[in-house]
Amino acid sequence: MAEKVGTTIIQHLLSQQREKPEATGAFTQIINELTIAAKVISREVNQAGLVDVLGATGDVNVQGEQVQKLDVFSNQVVIDRMQHIGQLCCMGSEEVADLIDIPDKYPKGNYILVFDPLDGSSNIDVNVSIGTIFGIYKKVSNETDINFLLSDVLQPGIKQVAAGYIVYGSSTIMVYTTGNGVHGFTLIPSIGEFLLSHENIRIPEKGKTYSVNESNYAYWDEKTRALIDYFKTKDRDTKRPYTSRYVGSLVADFHRNLLKGGIFMYPADLKDPKKPNGKLRLMVEANPLAMIVKHAGGYASNGYGPILEIKPDELHQRVPLYIGSKQDVLLAEKFIGGKRT
Ligand code: AHM
Ligand code: MG
């Protein structure tokens, strides 16, 4: 008897694209390859403990291959899967200083992929949720030479045509948007497919949770401290204090707040004079999640205005991040940007 399998990501994407006569299938191919990369990374993440043990005995695994650090491995998986499909003109990765070219043996396309292959590096070795983040842009010039593509890459996040993440947690979930709702798919290991599990996710307007690395308190300015103090202060009318949750993996913290409501913050701090804008990267971390939260009814800000409107100056630019439930992020803006009413 035929079993009802559920909706795969590609099926879902195709059903959305049927309403767009201009769709060429290029985009579907990009998402398809990304899901394959995600499955490979997920498999490896699930064996992380084992890989670590084997790595310690001489950095060679059971197949006699060199054991790679998982983040380096994930970076290579994404590059290998994405470079051959003929739809990308280049890529930008958190793990690679410069833009990644498409080898001459493959055709080039008009899309740009930016990604963080395995975010949450401090949690990789300790079995805590980690994730992959990606954003997709369309090239604006007619350039094909990698030396002249940087200005095509440095577009504000509002120009993303799609964005998503994969969280490797108690299950592996992929969440994506093309601007037409935010949808989540859970990897079913027994059939090797991501199936629709969270259709049209909407983030609550206001949450009860704040997520921040509070050990940075000593390095924050007065406005930032006042904001965190606000969330911790007791006030029945505004349902405070909020509760605190901080995994230390952006994707995991973001995913929880997306489903349950709340605000994630990585403010600017004075810890390292070379990083006055905090830790997180605009292009590979903040922008993709900002697009997702926007289409789920939330908001992402640098404390002064929308993340998605910032014009990047460089690929690895950092940015203070306040992201999550709209009312909570607007409140953060009032504290940080001084737009108090
Ligand atoms: P990474 O790209 O090196 O993994 O760093 C990004 C991670 C985020 O996932 C997380 O939100 C943040 O760093 C945690 O930083 P901290 O340890 O300073 O709280
Ligand atoms: Mg990262």
Side-chain angles (χ1 to χ4, degrees), residues 212-220 271:
V212 71
N213 185 342
E214 220 161 330
S215 72
N216 289 327
Y217 197 89
Y219 303 107
W220 291 334
K271 197 156 45 172

PDB file of all heavy atoms in Angstrom, residues 212-220 271:
ATOM      1  N   VAL A 212      21.614  36.293  25.222  1.00  0.00           N
ATOM      2  CA  VAL A 212      22.812  37.122  25.056  1.00  0.00           C
ATOM      3  C   VAL A 212      23.924  36.519  25.897  1.00  0.00           C
ATOM      4  O   VAL A 212      23.652  35.866  26.910  1.00  0.00           O
ATOM      5  CB  VAL A 212      22.514  38.584  25.491  1.00  0.00           C
ATOM      6  CG1 VAL A 212      22.340  38.707  27.009  1.00  0.00           C
ATOM      7  CG2 VAL A 212      23.563  39.563  24.988  1.00  0.00           C
ATOM      8  N   ASN A 213      25.161  36.716  25.486  1.00  0.00           N
ATOM      9  CA  ASN A 213      26.288  36.279  26.306  1.00  0.00           C
ATOM     10  C   ASN A 213      26.558  37.352  27.347  1.00  0.00           C
ATOM     11  O   ASN A 213      27.256  38.336  27.095  1.00  0.00           O
ATOM     12  CB  ASN A 213      27.524  36.037  25.443  1.00  0.00           C
ATOM     13  CG  ASN A 213      28.654  35.458  26.271  1.00  0.00           C
ATOM     14  OD1 ASN A 213      28.651  35.531  27.500  1.00  0.00           O
ATOM     15  ND2 ASN A 213      29.630  34.881  25.595  1.00  0.00           N
ATOM     16  N   GLU A 214      25.983  37.134  28.533  1.00  0.00           N
ATOM     17  CA  GLU A 214      25.999  38.174  29.549  1.00  0.00           C
ATOM     18  C   GLU A 214      27.373  38.358  30.192  1.00  0.00           C
ATOM     19  O   GLU A 214      27.590  39.332  30.908  1.00  0.00           O
ATOM     20  CB  GLU A 214      24.951  37.843  30.611  1.00  0.00           C
ATOM     21  CG  GLU A 214      24.234  39.078  31.040  1.00  0.00           C
ATOM     22  CD  GLU A 214      22.922  38.808  31.726  1.00  0.00           C
ATOM     23  OE1 GLU A 214      22.267  37.794  31.420  1.00  0.00           O
ATOM     24  OE2 GLU A 214      22.549  39.636  32.563  1.00  0.00           O
ATOM     25  N   SER A 215      28.279  37.452  29.914  1.00  0.00           N
ATOM     26  CA  SER A 215      29.639  37.626  30.462  1.00  0.00           C
ATOM     27  C   SER A 215      30.330  38.824  29.806  1.00  0.00           C
ATOM     28  O   SER A 215      31.382  39.262  30.259  1.00  0.00           O
ATOM     29  CB  SER A 215      30.467  36.364  30.255  1.00  0.00           C
ATOM     30  OG  SER A 215      30.802  36.219  28.898  1.00  0.00           O
ATOM     31  N   ASN A 216      29.724  39.354  28.748  1.00  0.00           N
ATOM     32  CA  ASN A 216      30.294  40.544  28.109  1.00  0.00           C
ATOM     33  C   ASN A 216      29.826  41.843  28.764  1.00  0.00           C
ATOM     34  O   ASN A 216      30.168  42.932  28.289  1.00  0.00           O
ATOM     35  CB  ASN A 216      29.921  40.571  26.615  1.00  0.00           C
ATOM     36  CG  ASN A 216      30.658  39.493  25.833  1.00  0.00           C
ATOM     37  OD1 ASN A 216      31.793  39.151  26.167  1.00  0.00           O
ATOM     38  ND2 ASN A 216      30.021  38.945  24.815  1.00  0.00           N
ATOM     39  N   TYR A 217      29.058  41.726  29.835  1.00  0.00           N
ATOM     40  CA  TYR A 217      28.469  42.915  30.490  1.00  0.00           C
ATOM     41  C   TYR A 217      29.521  44.001  30.743  1.00  0.00           C
ATOM     42  O   TYR A 217      29.283  45.179  30.492  1.00  0.00           O
ATOM     43  CB  TYR A 217      27.829  42.480  31.812  1.00  0.00           C
ATOM     44  CG  TYR A 217      26.858  43.477  32.404  1.00  0.00           C
ATOM     45  CD1 TYR A 217      25.499  43.450  32.076  1.00  0.00           C
ATOM     46  CD2 TYR A 217      27.293  44.448  33.313  1.00  0.00           C
ATOM     47  CE1 TYR A 217      24.609  44.350  32.636  1.00  0.00           C
ATOM     48  CE2 TYR A 217      26.407  45.348  33.875  1.00  0.00           C
ATOM     49  CZ  TYR A 217      25.057  45.298  33.527  1.00  0.00           C
ATOM     50  OH  TYR A 217      24.174  46.197  34.082  1.00  0.00           O
ATOM     51  N   ALA A 218      30.678  43.564  31.216  1.00  0.00           N
ATOM     52  CA  ALA A 218      31.730  44.535  31.565  1.00  0.00           C
ATOM     53  C   ALA A 218      32.231  45.304  30.344  1.00  0.00           C
ATOM     54  O   ALA A 218      32.812  46.386  30.480  1.00  0.00           O
ATOM     55  CB  ALA A 218      32.903  43.808  32.212  1.00  0.00           C
ATOM     56  N   TYR A 219      32.002  44.756  29.148  1.00  0.00           N
ATOM     57  CA  TYR A 219      32.518  45.388  27.928  1.00  0.00           C
ATOM     58  C   TYR A 219      31.450  46.195  27.185  1.00  0.00           C
ATOM     59  O   TYR A 219      31.713  46.747  26.133  1.00  0.00           O
ATOM     60  CB  TYR A 219      33.076  44.320  26.969  1.00  0.00           C
ATOM     61  CG  TYR A 219      34.153  43.471  27.585  1.00  0.00           C
ATOM     62  CD1 TYR A 219      33.915  42.154  27.947  1.00  0.00           C
ATOM     63  CD2 TYR A 219      35.425  44.000  27.816  1.00  0.00           C
ATOM     64  CE1 TYR A 219      34.900  41.373  28.511  1.00  0.00           C
ATOM     65  CE2 TYR A 219      36.420  43.234  28.388  1.00  0.00           C
ATOM     66  CZ  TYR A 219      36.154  41.914  28.730  1.00  0.00           C
ATOM     67  OH  TYR A 219      37.137  41.147  29.305  1.00  0.00           O
ATOM     68  N   TRP A 220      30.208  46.174  27.702  1.00  0.00           N
ATOM     69  CA  TRP A 220      29.138  46.908  27.013  1.00  0.00           C
ATOM     70  C   TRP A 220      29.097  48.361  27.448  1.00  0.00           C
ATOM     71  O   TRP A 220      29.501  48.705  28.577  1.00  0.00           O
ATOM     72  CB  TRP A 220      27.777  46.282  27.342  1.00  0.00           C
ATOM     73  CG  TRP A 220      27.558  44.926  26.761  1.00  0.00           C
ATOM     74  CD1 TRP A 220      28.119  44.387  25.647  1.00  0.00           C
ATOM     75  CD2 TRP A 220      26.700  43.909  27.304  1.00  0.00           C
ATOM     76  NE1 TRP A 220      27.658  43.115  25.451  1.00  0.00           N
ATOM     77  CE2 TRP A 220      26.785  42.795  26.446  1.00  0.00           C
ATOM     78  CE3 TRP A 220      25.855  43.827  28.403  1.00  0.00           C
ATOM     79  CZ2 TRP A 220      26.067  41.622  26.656  1.00  0.00           C
ATOM     80  CZ3 TRP A 220      25.132  42.666  28.627  1.00  0.00           C
ATOM     81  CH2 TRP A 220      25.245  41.580  27.755  1.00  0.00           C
ATOM     82  N   LYS A 271      35.432  44.641  23.986  1.00  0.00           N
ATOM     83  CA  LYS A 271      36.369  43.573  24.333  1.00  0.00           C
ATOM     84  C   LYS A 271      37.631  43.628  23.470  1.00  0.00           C
ATOM     85  O   LYS A 271      38.735  43.501  23.940  1.00  0.00           O
ATOM     86  CB  LYS A 271      35.659  42.220  24.161  1.00  0.00           C
ATOM     87  CG  LYS A 271      36.377  41.114  24.860  1.00  0.00           C
ATOM     88  CD  LYS A 271      35.517  39.918  25.221  1.00  0.00           C
ATOM     89  CE  LYS A 271      34.596  39.422  24.176  1.00  0.00           C
ATOM     90  NZ  LYS A 271      33.952  38.171  24.529  1.00  0.00           N
TER      91      LYS A 271
END
